[in-house]
Amino acid sequence: MDILPQLLINGLISGSTIALIAVGLSLIFGVLKFMNFAHGEIAMLGAYFYYYFFITLGWPVLPSMAITVALCAFVGFLFNRFIFWPLRKESQWTLLIVSVGVGMLIKNSVQLVASGSTRTYSQANEPSVVHHFFGDALIITSNQILIIVSAFVLMLGLFFFLKYSKLGKSIRALSDNMSLAGVVGIDIRRSVDWIFVLSSAIAGFAGILIAYEESLTPNMGQHLSILAFVAVILGGLGSIPGALVGGLLIGLLQDVGTGLTIGGYSIPSSYKSLIAFSVLILFLLFRPRGLFGISLEEDKSQKE
Amino acid sequence: MFRKSLFTAVTLSSVLLASCGGTGSAKTITLGALGPLTGDASSYGIDMQNAASLAVKDINAAWAAEGMTLELQWENGACNGKDGATAAQKLVDVDGAQVILGGFCSSETLAAAPITEAAKVLLFSPGSSSPDVTNAGDYVYRDWPSDSYQGTKLAEFANENGWKTVAMVSEETDYAKGIAGAFTARFQELGGTVTEEKYLSEDTDFKTQITKLNAGAPDAWFVNPQTPVKADVLFKQMQDLGIEGPFLLNDVAGTSNDLLTNYKDYLEGSYTATLYIDEESEGVKAFKANYEATYGSQPNYLGYDLTTYDAVWILANAVLEVGNNGEAVKAYLDSFTGYDGLAGHTDFDANGDPLAGHSVYKIVSGAIVKQ
């Protein structure tokens, strides 16, 4: 039986979720020029908020999702207002280390409130709706289709939003040159607020999807941040299409790379992370600007 | 005789409970206790703690006449070697424990063993099942059977069913490795083939493993996780990917009440192997009633709870007779003639392993039925 189609789909599913986190990471990097390692924790927070509304309180799916996304957006806003915005003039290393600290704060708070155990949404006991294609060569559930489709739709929406809306244009202006954008009258703080609100909302939504597909633990955020970081490096720092492609690529490489048996040899599936980080190291060595990124020299010249 | 007195103690415990609280006793014996109190495995740890507390209550009721009290000093091993070793170190060095109940997870016991061995502290596990525990040390005992029994039993059972190829998905932990090793060795000996895919405890997506194994069109599947939550994710993803049994389940995946209820239809007709418990015996019935009265729910892992309950009694009897001293308790257990407790008759071989083993069970409408 040929398992390649199934492996590709599995990779696309995990890749889409990584891409959703990566895109927010990339947006924030584009403007504040630092890697926000707390970003994956927002997804974790989303998974837990949803657990609270959907499982603990027993709300229906859509209202639970809506309030989860809203809460994540609000948390993103708060983090910007009270932590990252006041520190924006510090070096990117300060911001990076602060973000690691913020991430730990979120993770440990969740652990404190919800305990460290892994949970699933399966108490809800909703059987997955399973679709078969090409006989049984490709099996996909409705939730998995939702993951892939929403990743693409959100990405497309974001792309057009940045390209054509006024707010989107000001965000792009900011990532080109923050002080110049200020000079021409763009409300910088408001735009940066929006970046955090948007990217946190997307991350929160991604958290729900991931938890449906896999499970939720307070540790999941850290893992997501790191994979999204790899995706952003791969796609090119600050590039939105790059984050999408980088995320998908990581997902596909991990699943297909460990799934395929070539000439009797295969990489054991428990070495998925090995693939992601080998790719990261190769890119950092040979193409640090990533697939769609601009080179560091160009970036510098733009900033100055 | 002993059984009778034990049974009386169990039934009277709720009555006597009020009388043993708050009385400043002349002599208190403190034993160390080590189990997974946080993390994914805390579901066992909490059950273990509950069962041990019930035993302590009953023991204190029985000891009241002599003016003695038993206490357990708990430390968290978090079901991994690192925390297990730290917890054992603390119990031995800081608390001066001579006898320790635990660890629960094999990883905890195996990491604690070198520390307790060096200090000649007795380590008694009610749940560690890795075959490696057999040779972990002279002061290491357990009343839960080694997984070499579990793996071997299921391998022989699979062979009797005419299954020739088994796809196994295993977690990278001492417990799961022990079962996988024993199963594979015996199944290959009988002429079968095992294809194994592993995952790390921090992994959450197993679709690649499942897809890869399914490509080999196995006769049967062996689901071998460390904790019920991983079993939950595995069952869900296997179900989504259209995997159909027959399933062989290790005793984590196959005996958790929550899983058997949530995946009632999916797991129908699966097989598992676990320690034989006579659920109809008066002692077990009384234990279940007492557990529910105290904690408001049925025990999630009855088998482990009963071995924990028995273990506390065995250790309590030992320290009462020979004193709270690791070497003395070891000598006591070595000249042991057996203990009739809730989990049946417990006696040890030369390695400190129990003589009783596993039986194969079939899952029928969400309950396990002995084959």
Side-chain angles (χ1 to χ4, degrees), chain A residues 154-185:
Chain A
L154 280 172
M155 230 51 91
L156 214 63
L158 199 63
F159 184 75
F160 283 110
F161 166 78
L162 289 175
K163 197 144 178 106
Y164 297 111
S165 78
K166 192 172 171 226
L167 185 60
K169 284 179 185 164
S170 38
I171 288 174
R172 281 193 295 139
L174 282 185
S175 64
D176 279 349
N177 189 323
M178 201 191 276
S179 38
L180 201 60
V183 170
V184 297

PDB file of all heavy atoms in Angstrom, chain A residues 154-185:
ATOM      1  N   LEU A 154      -6.927  32.158   6.299  1.00  0.00           N
ATOM      2  CA  LEU A 154      -6.392  33.199   7.173  1.00  0.00           C
ATOM      3  C   LEU A 154      -5.171  33.865   6.558  1.00  0.00           C
ATOM      4  O   LEU A 154      -5.001  35.083   6.615  1.00  0.00           O
ATOM      5  CB  LEU A 154      -6.022  32.604   8.534  1.00  0.00           C
ATOM      6  CG  LEU A 154      -7.177  32.401   9.505  1.00  0.00           C
ATOM      7  CD1 LEU A 154      -6.729  31.641  10.727  1.00  0.00           C
ATOM      8  CD2 LEU A 154      -7.754  33.753   9.912  1.00  0.00           C
ATOM      9  N   MET A 155      -4.338  33.023   5.939  1.00  0.00           N
ATOM     10  CA  MET A 155      -3.109  33.541   5.341  1.00  0.00           C
ATOM     11  C   MET A 155      -3.428  34.476   4.182  1.00  0.00           C
ATOM     12  O   MET A 155      -2.836  35.539   4.033  1.00  0.00           O
ATOM     13  CB  MET A 155      -2.316  32.343   4.831  1.00  0.00           C
ATOM     14  CG  MET A 155      -0.905  32.293   5.243  1.00  0.00           C
ATOM     15  SD  MET A 155      -0.643  32.480   6.976  1.00  0.00           S
ATOM     16  CE  MET A 155      -0.696  30.803   7.487  1.00  0.00           C
ATOM     17  N   LEU A 156      -4.410  34.031   3.374  1.00  0.00           N
ATOM     18  CA  LEU A 156      -4.812  34.830   2.221  1.00  0.00           C
ATOM     19  C   LEU A 156      -5.433  36.145   2.688  1.00  0.00           C
ATOM     20  O   LEU A 156      -5.105  37.225   2.182  1.00  0.00           O
ATOM     21  CB  LEU A 156      -5.850  34.029   1.409  1.00  0.00           C
ATOM     22  CG  LEU A 156      -5.825  34.214  -0.098  1.00  0.00           C
ATOM     23  CD1 LEU A 156      -4.495  33.733  -0.662  1.00  0.00           C
ATOM     24  CD2 LEU A 156      -6.976  33.426  -0.730  1.00  0.00           C
ATOM     25  N   GLY A 157      -6.310  36.029   3.706  1.00  0.00           N
ATOM     26  CA  GLY A 157      -6.965  37.210   4.253  1.00  0.00           C
ATOM     27  C   GLY A 157      -5.938  38.203   4.779  1.00  0.00           C
ATOM     28  O   GLY A 157      -5.987  39.407   4.502  1.00  0.00           O
ATOM     29  N   LEU A 158      -4.958  37.665   5.486  1.00  0.00           N
ATOM     30  CA  LEU A 158      -3.933  38.506   6.076  1.00  0.00           C
ATOM     31  C   LEU A 158      -3.118  39.215   4.995  1.00  0.00           C
ATOM     32  O   LEU A 158      -2.781  40.395   5.098  1.00  0.00           O
ATOM     33  CB  LEU A 158      -3.024  37.625   6.930  1.00  0.00           C
ATOM     34  CG  LEU A 158      -2.196  38.339   7.970  1.00  0.00           C
ATOM     35  CD1 LEU A 158      -3.097  39.003   8.986  1.00  0.00           C
ATOM     36  CD2 LEU A 158      -1.295  37.334   8.676  1.00  0.00           C
ATOM     37  N   PHE A 159      -2.839  38.443   3.954  1.00  0.00           N
ATOM     38  CA  PHE A 159      -2.051  38.977   2.850  1.00  0.00           C
ATOM     39  C   PHE A 159      -2.763  40.181   2.223  1.00  0.00           C
ATOM     40  O   PHE A 159      -2.179  41.251   2.039  1.00  0.00           O
ATOM     41  CB  PHE A 159      -1.837  37.870   1.811  1.00  0.00           C
ATOM     42  CG  PHE A 159      -0.956  38.280   0.674  1.00  0.00           C
ATOM     43  CD1 PHE A 159       0.423  38.390   0.867  1.00  0.00           C
ATOM     44  CD2 PHE A 159      -1.485  38.566  -0.575  1.00  0.00           C
ATOM     45  CE1 PHE A 159       1.249  38.770  -0.168  1.00  0.00           C
ATOM     46  CE2 PHE A 159      -0.657  38.953  -1.614  1.00  0.00           C
ATOM     47  CZ  PHE A 159       0.708  39.055  -1.418  1.00  0.00           C
ATOM     48  N   PHE A 160      -4.084  40.004   1.941  1.00  0.00           N
ATOM     49  CA  PHE A 160      -4.833  41.103   1.328  1.00  0.00           C
ATOM     50  C   PHE A 160      -5.030  42.254   2.302  1.00  0.00           C
ATOM     51  O   PHE A 160      -4.983  43.422   1.914  1.00  0.00           O
ATOM     52  CB  PHE A 160      -6.185  40.592   0.803  1.00  0.00           C
ATOM     53  CG  PHE A 160      -6.037  39.840  -0.481  1.00  0.00           C
ATOM     54  CD1 PHE A 160      -6.220  38.470  -0.533  1.00  0.00           C
ATOM     55  CD2 PHE A 160      -5.663  40.515  -1.651  1.00  0.00           C
ATOM     56  CE1 PHE A 160      -6.046  37.774  -1.718  1.00  0.00           C
ATOM     57  CE2 PHE A 160      -5.482  39.822  -2.844  1.00  0.00           C
ATOM     58  CZ  PHE A 160      -5.682  38.451  -2.871  1.00  0.00           C
ATOM     59  N   PHE A 161      -5.213  41.900   3.564  1.00  0.00           N
ATOM     60  CA  PHE A 161      -5.377  42.932   4.584  1.00  0.00           C
ATOM     61  C   PHE A 161      -4.133  43.826   4.642  1.00  0.00           C
ATOM     62  O   PHE A 161      -4.216  45.049   4.646  1.00  0.00           O
ATOM     63  CB  PHE A 161      -5.637  42.249   5.932  1.00  0.00           C
ATOM     64  CG  PHE A 161      -5.505  43.160   7.113  1.00  0.00           C
ATOM     65  CD1 PHE A 161      -6.523  44.051   7.441  1.00  0.00           C
ATOM     66  CD2 PHE A 161      -4.357  43.139   7.911  1.00  0.00           C
ATOM     67  CE1 PHE A 161      -6.393  44.893   8.524  1.00  0.00           C
ATOM     68  CE2 PHE A 161      -4.228  43.979   8.996  1.00  0.00           C
ATOM     69  CZ  PHE A 161      -5.256  44.863   9.308  1.00  0.00           C
ATOM     70  N   LEU A 162      -2.977  43.193   4.630  1.00  0.00           N
ATOM     71  CA  LEU A 162      -1.737  43.966   4.702  1.00  0.00           C
ATOM     72  C   LEU A 162      -1.515  44.784   3.441  1.00  0.00           C
ATOM     73  O   LEU A 162      -0.973  45.881   3.466  1.00  0.00           O
ATOM     74  CB  LEU A 162      -0.545  43.040   4.925  1.00  0.00           C
ATOM     75  CG  LEU A 162      -0.440  42.397   6.300  1.00  0.00           C
ATOM     76  CD1 LEU A 162       0.703  41.417   6.350  1.00  0.00           C
ATOM     77  CD2 LEU A 162      -0.268  43.461   7.381  1.00  0.00           C
ATOM     78  N   LYS A 163      -1.970  44.223   2.315  1.00  0.00           N
ATOM     79  CA  LYS A 163      -1.686  44.868   1.044  1.00  0.00           C
ATOM     80  C   LYS A 163      -2.616  46.055   0.791  1.00  0.00           C
ATOM     81  O   LYS A 163      -2.181  47.099   0.304  1.00  0.00           O
ATOM     82  CB  LYS A 163      -1.840  43.842  -0.084  1.00  0.00           C
ATOM     83  CG  LYS A 163      -1.202  44.275  -1.375  1.00  0.00           C
ATOM     84  CD  LYS A 163      -0.587  43.086  -2.104  1.00  0.00           C
ATOM     85  CE  LYS A 163       0.003  43.560  -3.411  1.00  0.00           C
ATOM     86  NZ  LYS A 163       1.437  43.630  -3.418  1.00  0.00           N
ATOM     87  N   TYR A 164      -3.908  45.899   1.137  1.00  0.00           N
ATOM     88  CA  TYR A 164      -4.862  46.907   0.684  1.00  0.00           C
ATOM     89  C   TYR A 164      -5.496  47.755   1.781  1.00  0.00           C
ATOM     90  O   TYR A 164      -5.900  48.876   1.520  1.00  0.00           O
ATOM     91  CB  TYR A 164      -5.972  46.232  -0.147  1.00  0.00           C
ATOM     92  CG  TYR A 164      -5.413  45.594  -1.393  1.00  0.00           C
ATOM     93  CD1 TYR A 164      -5.365  44.214  -1.548  1.00  0.00           C
ATOM     94  CD2 TYR A 164      -4.887  46.392  -2.430  1.00  0.00           C
ATOM     95  CE1 TYR A 164      -4.833  43.632  -2.683  1.00  0.00           C
ATOM     96  CE2 TYR A 164      -4.340  45.822  -3.561  1.00  0.00           C
ATOM     97  CZ  TYR A 164      -4.316  44.442  -3.693  1.00  0.00           C
ATOM     98  OH  TYR A 164      -3.783  43.884  -4.802  1.00  0.00           O
ATOM     99  N   SER A 165      -5.635  47.219   3.019  1.00  0.00           N
ATOM    100  CA  SER A 165      -6.324  48.025   4.019  1.00  0.00           C
ATOM    101  C   SER A 165      -5.394  49.116   4.545  1.00  0.00           C
ATOM    102  O   SER A 165      -4.170  49.032   4.435  1.00  0.00           O
ATOM    103  CB  SER A 165      -6.815  47.155   5.173  1.00  0.00           C
ATOM    104  OG  SER A 165      -5.720  46.858   6.012  1.00  0.00           O
ATOM    105  N   LYS A 166      -6.007  50.146   5.129  1.00  0.00           N
ATOM    106  CA  LYS A 166      -5.206  51.269   5.614  1.00  0.00           C
ATOM    107  C   LYS A 166      -4.299  50.828   6.754  1.00  0.00           C
ATOM    108  O   LYS A 166      -3.102  51.117   6.788  1.00  0.00           O
ATOM    109  CB  LYS A 166      -6.165  52.386   6.074  1.00  0.00           C
ATOM    110  CG  LYS A 166      -5.446  53.674   6.302  1.00  0.00           C
ATOM    111  CD  LYS A 166      -6.422  54.809   6.575  1.00  0.00           C
ATOM    112  CE  LYS A 166      -5.622  56.024   7.016  1.00  0.00           C
ATOM    113  NZ  LYS A 166      -6.193  56.668   8.181  1.00  0.00           N
ATOM    114  N   LEU A 167      -4.926  50.058   7.682  1.00  0.00           N
ATOM    115  CA  LEU A 167      -4.162  49.566   8.820  1.00  0.00           C
ATOM    116  C   LEU A 167      -3.030  48.649   8.348  1.00  0.00           C
ATOM    117  O   LEU A 167      -1.895  48.730   8.826  1.00  0.00           O
ATOM    118  CB  LEU A 167      -5.102  48.819   9.773  1.00  0.00           C
ATOM    119  CG  LEU A 167      -4.508  48.328  11.072  1.00  0.00           C
ATOM    120  CD1 LEU A 167      -3.954  49.473  11.893  1.00  0.00           C
ATOM    121  CD2 LEU A 167      -5.559  47.571  11.879  1.00  0.00           C
ATOM    122  N   GLY A 168      -3.370  47.802   7.357  1.00  0.00           N
ATOM    123  CA  GLY A 168      -2.368  46.881   6.817  1.00  0.00           C
ATOM    124  C   GLY A 168      -1.197  47.650   6.227  1.00  0.00           C
ATOM    125  O   GLY A 168      -0.026  47.298   6.425  1.00  0.00           O
ATOM    126  N   LYS A 169      -1.538  48.719   5.520  1.00  0.00           N
ATOM    127  CA  LYS A 169      -0.466  49.523   4.905  1.00  0.00           C
ATOM    128  C   LYS A 169       0.401  50.166   5.978  1.00  0.00           C
ATOM    129  O   LYS A 169       1.630  50.233   5.846  1.00  0.00           O
ATOM    130  CB  LYS A 169      -1.063  50.600   3.998  1.00  0.00           C
ATOM    131  CG  LYS A 169      -1.555  50.042   2.674  1.00  0.00           C
ATOM    132  CD  LYS A 169      -2.169  51.148   1.823  1.00  0.00           C
ATOM    133  CE  LYS A 169      -2.776  50.584   0.557  1.00  0.00           C
ATOM    134  NZ  LYS A 169      -3.692  51.542  -0.069  1.00  0.00           N
ATOM    135  N   SER A 170      -0.247  50.646   7.048  1.00  0.00           N
ATOM    136  CA  SER A 170       0.584  51.274   8.078  1.00  0.00           C
ATOM    137  C   SER A 170       1.470  50.238   8.772  1.00  0.00           C
ATOM    138  O   SER A 170       2.598  50.537   9.146  1.00  0.00           O
ATOM    139  CB  SER A 170      -0.258  52.063   9.080  1.00  0.00           C
ATOM    140  OG  SER A 170      -1.460  51.431   9.364  1.00  0.00           O
ATOM    141  N   ILE A 171       0.953  49.006   8.913  1.00  0.00           N
ATOM    142  CA  ILE A 171       1.791  47.958   9.511  1.00  0.00           C
ATOM    143  C   ILE A 171       3.017  47.717   8.627  1.00  0.00           C
ATOM    144  O   ILE A 171       4.145  47.589   9.113  1.00  0.00           O
ATOM    145  CB  ILE A 171       0.978  46.653   9.698  1.00  0.00           C
ATOM    146  CG1 ILE A 171      -0.030  46.842  10.831  1.00  0.00           C
ATOM    147  CG2 ILE A 171       1.898  45.477   9.986  1.00  0.00           C
ATOM    148  CD1 ILE A 171      -0.982  45.689  11.022  1.00  0.00           C
ATOM    149  N   ARG A 172       2.788  47.682   7.327  1.00  0.00           N
ATOM    150  CA  ARG A 172       3.917  47.458   6.426  1.00  0.00           C
ATOM    151  C   ARG A 172       4.907  48.623   6.479  1.00  0.00           C
ATOM    152  O   ARG A 172       6.117  48.441   6.440  1.00  0.00           O
ATOM    153  CB  ARG A 172       3.423  47.222   5.003  1.00  0.00           C
ATOM    154  CG  ARG A 172       2.912  45.801   4.815  1.00  0.00           C
ATOM    155  CD  ARG A 172       2.716  45.472   3.370  1.00  0.00           C
ATOM    156  NE  ARG A 172       1.669  46.294   2.776  1.00  0.00           N
ATOM    157  CZ  ARG A 172       1.742  46.835   1.563  1.00  0.00           C
ATOM    158  NH1 ARG A 172       2.817  46.641   0.826  1.00  0.00           N
ATOM    159  NH2 ARG A 172       0.762  47.564   1.103  1.00  0.00           N
ATOM    160  N   ALA A 173       4.321  49.812   6.595  1.00  0.00           N
ATOM    161  CA  ALA A 173       5.196  50.983   6.690  1.00  0.00           C
ATOM    162  C   ALA A 173       6.066  50.897   7.942  1.00  0.00           C
ATOM    163  O   ALA A 173       7.265  51.179   7.908  1.00  0.00           O
ATOM    164  CB  ALA A 173       4.354  52.248   6.717  1.00  0.00           C
ATOM    165  N   LEU A 174       5.447  50.453   9.025  1.00  0.00           N
ATOM    166  CA  LEU A 174       6.188  50.316  10.277  1.00  0.00           C
ATOM    167  C   LEU A 174       7.340  49.342  10.143  1.00  0.00           C
ATOM    168  O   LEU A 174       8.432  49.585  10.661  1.00  0.00           O
ATOM    169  CB  LEU A 174       5.265  49.778  11.378  1.00  0.00           C
ATOM    170  CG  LEU A 174       4.302  50.720  12.047  1.00  0.00           C
ATOM    171  CD1 LEU A 174       3.599  49.989  13.175  1.00  0.00           C
ATOM    172  CD2 LEU A 174       5.054  51.906  12.597  1.00  0.00           C
ATOM    173  N   SER A 175       7.063  48.201   9.476  1.00  0.00           N
ATOM    174  CA  SER A 175       8.118  47.207   9.415  1.00  0.00           C
ATOM    175  C   SER A 175       9.234  47.682   8.485  1.00  0.00           C
ATOM    176  O   SER A 175      10.372  47.242   8.607  1.00  0.00           O
ATOM    177  CB  SER A 175       7.572  45.840   9.005  1.00  0.00           C
ATOM    178  OG  SER A 175       7.062  45.903   7.716  1.00  0.00           O
ATOM    179  N   ASP A 176       8.933  48.598   7.572  1.00  0.00           N
ATOM    180  CA  ASP A 176      10.002  49.163   6.735  1.00  0.00           C
ATOM    181  C   ASP A 176      10.863  50.127   7.536  1.00  0.00           C
ATOM    182  O   ASP A 176      12.082  50.030   7.545  1.00  0.00           O
ATOM    183  CB  ASP A 176       9.405  49.893   5.524  1.00  0.00           C
ATOM    184  CG  ASP A 176       9.030  48.921   4.428  1.00  0.00           C
ATOM    185  OD1 ASP A 176       9.444  47.746   4.547  1.00  0.00           O
ATOM    186  OD2 ASP A 176       8.322  49.325   3.485  1.00  0.00           O
ATOM    187  N   ASN A 177      10.218  51.056   8.199  1.00  0.00           N
ATOM    188  CA  ASN A 177      10.983  52.046   8.939  1.00  0.00           C
ATOM    189  C   ASN A 177      10.091  52.705   9.977  1.00  0.00           C
ATOM    190  O   ASN A 177       9.238  53.530   9.648  1.00  0.00           O
ATOM    191  CB  ASN A 177      11.528  53.108   7.968  1.00  0.00           C
ATOM    192  CG  ASN A 177      12.502  54.021   8.672  1.00  0.00           C
ATOM    193  OD1 ASN A 177      12.316  54.358   9.841  1.00  0.00           O
ATOM    194  ND2 ASN A 177      13.545  54.409   7.969  1.00  0.00           N
ATOM    195  N   MET A 178      10.296  52.319  11.214  1.00  0.00           N
ATOM    196  CA  MET A 178       9.352  52.727  12.245  1.00  0.00           C
ATOM    197  C   MET A 178       9.362  54.246  12.473  1.00  0.00           C
ATOM    198  O   MET A 178       8.320  54.881  12.562  1.00  0.00           O
ATOM    199  CB  MET A 178       9.610  51.988  13.543  1.00  0.00           C
ATOM    200  CG  MET A 178       8.388  52.008  14.435  1.00  0.00           C
ATOM    201  SD  MET A 178       8.699  51.425  16.091  1.00  0.00           S
ATOM    202  CE  MET A 178       8.572  49.690  15.935  1.00  0.00           C
ATOM    203  N   SER A 179      10.566  54.846  12.526  1.00  0.00           N
ATOM    204  CA  SER A 179      10.587  56.270  12.850  1.00  0.00           C
ATOM    205  C   SER A 179      10.020  57.118  11.713  1.00  0.00           C
ATOM    206  O   SER A 179       9.300  58.089  11.940  1.00  0.00           O
ATOM    207  CB  SER A 179      12.003  56.717  13.226  1.00  0.00           C
ATOM    208  OG  SER A 179      12.939  56.075  12.411  1.00  0.00           O
ATOM    209  N   LEU A 180      10.320  56.693  10.486  1.00  0.00           N
ATOM    210  CA  LEU A 180       9.782  57.422   9.343  1.00  0.00           C
ATOM    211  C   LEU A 180       8.258  57.324   9.308  1.00  0.00           C
ATOM    212  O   LEU A 180       7.551  58.289   9.023  1.00  0.00           O
ATOM    213  CB  LEU A 180      10.374  56.855   8.048  1.00  0.00           C
ATOM    214  CG  LEU A 180      10.313  57.787   6.851  1.00  0.00           C
ATOM    215  CD1 LEU A 180      11.074  59.075   7.135  1.00  0.00           C
ATOM    216  CD2 LEU A 180      10.920  57.089   5.628  1.00  0.00           C
ATOM    217  N   ALA A 181       7.746  56.129   9.647  1.00  0.00           N
ATOM    218  CA  ALA A 181       6.299  55.935   9.688  1.00  0.00           C
ATOM    219  C   ALA A 181       5.679  56.885  10.706  1.00  0.00           C
ATOM    220  O   ALA A 181       4.622  57.463  10.464  1.00  0.00           O
ATOM    221  CB  ALA A 181       5.974  54.489  10.042  1.00  0.00           C
ATOM    222  N   GLY A 182       6.384  57.084  11.816  1.00  0.00           N
ATOM    223  CA  GLY A 182       5.897  58.013  12.833  1.00  0.00           C
ATOM    224  C   GLY A 182       5.856  59.429  12.305  1.00  0.00           C
ATOM    225  O   GLY A 182       4.907  60.165  12.534  1.00  0.00           O
ATOM    226  N   VAL A 183       6.897  59.763  11.548  1.00  0.00           N
ATOM    227  CA  VAL A 183       6.992  61.121  11.007  1.00  0.00           C
ATOM    228  C   VAL A 183       5.824  61.436  10.084  1.00  0.00           C
ATOM    229  O   VAL A 183       5.260  62.523  10.124  1.00  0.00           O
ATOM    230  CB  VAL A 183       8.342  61.300  10.262  1.00  0.00           C
ATOM    231  CG1 VAL A 183       8.356  62.612   9.499  1.00  0.00           C
ATOM    232  CG2 VAL A 183       9.501  61.215  11.237  1.00  0.00           C
ATOM    233  N   VAL A 184       5.407  60.429   9.260  1.00  0.00           N
ATOM    234  CA  VAL A 184       4.301  60.711   8.336  1.00  0.00           C
ATOM    235  C   VAL A 184       2.933  60.569   9.001  1.00  0.00           C
ATOM    236  O   VAL A 184       1.909  60.584   8.337  1.00  0.00           O
ATOM    237  CB  VAL A 184       4.351  59.832   7.063  1.00  0.00           C
ATOM    238  CG1 VAL A 184       5.617  60.124   6.280  1.00  0.00           C
ATOM    239  CG2 VAL A 184       4.223  58.364   7.410  1.00  0.00           C
ATOM    240  N   GLY A 185       2.926  60.406  10.309  1.00  0.00           N
ATOM    241  CA  GLY A 185       1.652  60.492  11.017  1.00  0.00           C
ATOM    242  C   GLY A 185       0.947  59.179  11.288  1.00  0.00           C
ATOM    243  O   GLY A 185      -0.237  59.175  11.620  1.00  0.00           O
TER     244      GLY A 185
END
